[in-house]
Amino acid sequence: MSQKTSAVYARNPLTFILGALFLVGLTLGIHVPATGALAQASRAAPEAATGAGDRPAAPIRTQMVVAAHPLAARAARQMLRDGGTAMDALVAAQMVLNLVEPQSSGIGGGGFLLYWDAAEKRLATYDGRETAPAAAGPDRFLRNDGTPIRWPDAVGTGRSIGVPGIVPMLELAHQVHGDLAWDKLFAPAIKLAAEGFGVSPRLNLLLTAMGADAFNEEGRDYFFDDDGEPHALGEVLRNPALAISFKQIAEFGAAALSHGPIAKGIVTAAREPGVATLTLDDLRDYTAIVRPPVCAPYRGFSICGMGPPSSGGMTVASTLTMLADRDLGDAPNAAALHLILEAEKLAYADRNRYMADSDYVAVPAGLLDPEYLAGRAGTIDSGQTMGRAEPGIPPDLGMMPGNDVSSENAGTSQISIVDRFGNAASLTTTIESAFGSRRMVAGFLLNNELTDFSFAPVDDLGRPVANRVEGGKRPRSSMAPTMVFDAGGDLWAVLGSPGGSRIILYVVKALVAMIDWGMDPQEAAALGIFGSRNGPAELERGADMDAFAADLAALGHEVARPSMTSGLHIIRVTPDTLLGGADPRREGIAIGD
Ligand code: DON
């Protein structure tokens, strides 16, 4: 990061004040989706917010990257300029994000990738989700008396650490879609790790919120000074250990993480007395999986996403299918919001009950059956809320799984890329919570993804929960990397967002904003957030949702006004230009040529 950028970050006292406000909320609530205060803080940074005024003056016609940090976006653009594909650019962006946005993603985590191959007109989806160690069982998150432990007591422990999947997945996808040599993709990240980068407002705030004691020794030594204070805004941070790890992966590929000193370091860092934590065999047995995309028609478009073990694609598809016959108007309005919330409640009720790793449990395909969904949609009353939705009985249901009590938290990033050949990548990548398990090894953080499992393996009626822990299984995700195709089968939009179990709400909001309400991607990303995860109507605290709160309450909704930090990164492909949208609530940027 340039001196200039660092200096501007450091000059912003507002960042500290707003950060402090955010911290109070965080220490009281410890639910890391950040607050509006943090969103404001990130807006104070140069290039951080990509509101309307920040958009490039010249139209972007050839290639575009939208990522959560300018340095990651630039590294990806460099690969595109060097003739690389979206796949090449994606690997470069992910590695730089590991360094500059370590709270959200990295080589110790996992993710899901949608890749559009323009020449073959083929959409592939890649599953790089973490797995539970082979020896993990249903008691992983249970006390001796059989009751589930609390989420905060699991997150920073070895119980939560899954076998990382992102590098094996990127390696697999690069073998198919990459053009540049694998080792070249690591050059920007290696250089930045060795030479340093400026600490961003968001990194500083989240470190302050988390505190040094949350980390293992390596993490503490890296992120905090000798007095236990986080490195300041703009301070140049070097990560030589990560530079070495990147060099190893550049040379040996994903094998560098499953063999040799890094692998041994992972196993040691993940250890937890009395718990079956991951072994070298777990690391070596990890396989990334190519899975079929989940697509649904909506207003003449095809909306495609990631199937199980993510619930993202199916829940977005189910929500939109239930809205397909409804008129949502041509701008946000209370009646439309009500219909969307009701459809989301029905979709989340099914998600919570039925969706999990389909390699371990039967996820009914009938959940997306148009007749089934028409029946569900028929229960939506435009004059009053249903309150809480019950799961339906899809036509191909085998055994009824138990009621799920999974809990999901923050620490994820979205990278959207379109290259000059028309290929596109949408990667949602995560270490789960902010800073994952807070255990750092070889310069990177290990995930806490296993806390996405239901802590209780059976419900009150003794029925096994679909998303229970099993050895080798992938925890259910909400990540929803998405691509939209027009009636001619051409790519129309690339998008996705972080946000834990709210990701689905964010993606649905952006899709409706662009498709129904005709917004451009920047407007769609910035639009106030609304949605329901089958609980209250959640309306983002802030001006543009105020207008709807009273009307929704009059329809019987319990209205909650949380701060919600989506990180929508969107590219709209039009016949002669690429339009970018970077969520103003974070530090992302859309750039291109
Ligand atoms: O896979 C999931 O759904 C979650 N582990 C993602 C967490 C997340 O998005 C946090 N974002 N801010």
Side-chain angles (χ1 to χ4, degrees), residues 8-9 12 15 40-49 54 201 587:
V8 181
Y9 279 162
N12 252 308
T15 306
Q40 291 292 338
S42 68
R43 237 173 250 148
E47 297 190 329
D54 297 336
E587 296 173 332

Side-chain angles (χ1 to χ4, degrees), residues 491-492 572-579:
L491 183 65
W492 191 82
R572 263 278 284 116
V573 183
T574 77
D576 46 22
T577 187
L578 297 169
L579 303 171

Side-chain angles (χ1 to χ4, degrees), residues 460-530:
D460 293 344
L461 302 175
R463 296 174 299 191
V465 174
N467 188 32
R468 65 190 177 278
V469 183
E470 296 179 76
K473 189 176 177 181
R474 288 150 148 92
R476 179 185 64 209
S477 174
S478 304
M479 291 191 284
T482 302
M483 289 193 190
V484 182
F485 299 89
D486 67 17
D490 290 323
L491 183 65
W492 191 82
V494 180
L495 66 153
S497 177
S501 58
R502 289 190 179 117
I503 288 173
I504 293 153
L505 309 181
Y506 302 157
V507 168
V508 167
K509 178 206 80 163
L511 290 169
V512 169
M514 290 192 290
I515 295 173
D516 290 83
W517 299 332
M519 294 187 186
D520 73 27
Q522 188 59 46
E523 292 166 338
L527 176 67
I529 299 164
F530 53 85

Side-chain angles (χ1 to χ4, degrees), residues 99-233:
L99 182 70
V100 301
E101 197 201 28
Q103 65 270 23
S104 296
S105 75
I107 58 180
F112 295 108
L113 167 66
L114 263 60
Y115 198 87
W116 171 242
D117 181 319
E120 294 195 12
K121 285 205 156 237
R122 196 166 54 85
L123 177 66
T125 74
Y126 291 87
D127 170 351
R129 184 69 163 169
E130 297 90 335
T131 53
D139 58 348
R140 192 170 187 87
F141 295 106
L142 297 181
R143 297 190 186 92
N144 288 340
D145 67 2
T147 57
I149 60 175
R150 292 177 334 123
W151 187 88
D153 296 335
V155 58
T157 75
R159 288 174 202 268
S160 75
I161 300 173
V163 183
I166 194 82
V167 176
M169 182 194 78
L170 291 174
E171 183 179 62
L172 174 68
H174 179 261
Q175 283 159 3
V176 184
H177 309 289
D179 240 7
L180 300 180
W182 171 258
D183 62 347
K184 181 178 161 60
L185 313 178
F186 291 77
I190 291 171
K191 187 169 187 304
L192 281 165
E195 294 177 3
F197 65 97
V199 171
S200 77
R202 189 168 168 78
L203 175 54
N204 175 268
L205 289 179
L206 289 172
L207 282 173
T208 311
M210 194 57 73
D213 291 346
F215 290 85
N216 69 350
E217 195 179 338
E218 184 179 329
R220 250 191 329 269
D221 289 350
Y222 173 61
F223 287 122
F224 297 84
D225 66 19
D226 292 345
D227 300 324
E229 293 299 317
H231 295 299
L233 298 189

Side-chain angles (χ1 to χ4, degrees), residues 103-370:
Q103 65 270 23
S104 296
S105 75
I107 58 180
F112 295 108
L113 167 66
L114 263 60
Y115 198 87
W116 171 242
D117 181 319
E120 294 195 12
K121 285 205 156 237
R122 196 166 54 85
L123 177 66
T125 74
Y126 291 87
D127 170 351
R129 184 69 163 169
E130 297 90 335
T131 53
D139 58 348
R140 192 170 187 87
F141 295 106
L142 297 181
R143 297 190 186 92
N144 288 340
D145 67 2
T147 57
I149 60 175
R150 292 177 334 123
W151 187 88
D153 296 335
V155 58
T157 75
R159 288 174 202 268
S160 75
I161 300 173
V163 183
I166 194 82
V167 176
M169 182 194 78
L170 291 174
E171 183 179 62
L172 174 68
H174 179 261
Q175 283 159 3
V176 184
H177 309 289
D179 240 7
L180 300 180
W182 171 258
D183 62 347
K184 181 178 161 60
L185 313 178
F186 291 77
I190 291 171
K191 187 169 187 304
L192 281 165
E195 294 177 3
F197 65 97
V199 171
S200 77
R202 189 168 168 78
L203 175 54
N204 175 268
L205 289 179
L206 289 172
L207 282 173
T208 311
M210 194 57 73
D213 291 346
F215 290 85
N216 69 350
E217 195 179 338
E218 184 179 329
R220 250 191 329 269
D221 289 350
Y222 173 61
F223 287 122
F224 297 84
D225 66 19
D226 292 345
D227 300 324
E229 293 299 317
H231 295 299
L233 298 189
E235 192 175 328
V236 174
L237 198 51
R238 291 181 189 82
N239 191 339
L242 187 55
I244 294 171
S245 296
F246 284 155
K247 279 182 194 159
Q248 296 273 309
I249 301 169
E251 189 172 355
F252 302 111
L257 293 177
S258 54
H259 297 74
I262 304 180
K264 290 204 185 96
I266 293 174
V267 169
T268 306
R271 212 163 265 157
E272 190 69 37
V275 177
T277 44
L278 55 88
T279 63
L280 284 175
D281 280 344
D282 289 320
L283 293 172
R284 287 167 197 172
D285 290 346
Y286 183 87
T287 354
I289 302 174
V290 183
R291 297 190 184 272
V294 169
C295 299
Y298 184 69
R299 313 231 188 281
F301 294 93
S302 182
I303 316 288
C304 294
M306 188 74 220
S310 187
S311 62
M314 288 184 82
T315 312
V316 168
S318 145
T319 304
L320 293 178
T321 304
M322 287 187 274
L323 292 169
D325 293 334
R326 307 280 184 155
D327 180 0
L328 301 180
D330 56 11
N333 63 89
L337 262 51
H338 168 70
L339 295 174
I340 297 167
L341 299 177
E342 297 296 280
E344 287 173 341
K345 286 181 180 198
L346 291 162
Y348 268 82
D350 279 355
R351 166 200 179 269
N352 295 348
R353 180 65 63 92
Y354 298 116
M355 295 181 199
D357 183 347
S358 51
D359 291 343
Y360 283 73
V361 294
V363 178
L367 290 171
L368 294 183
D369 178 82

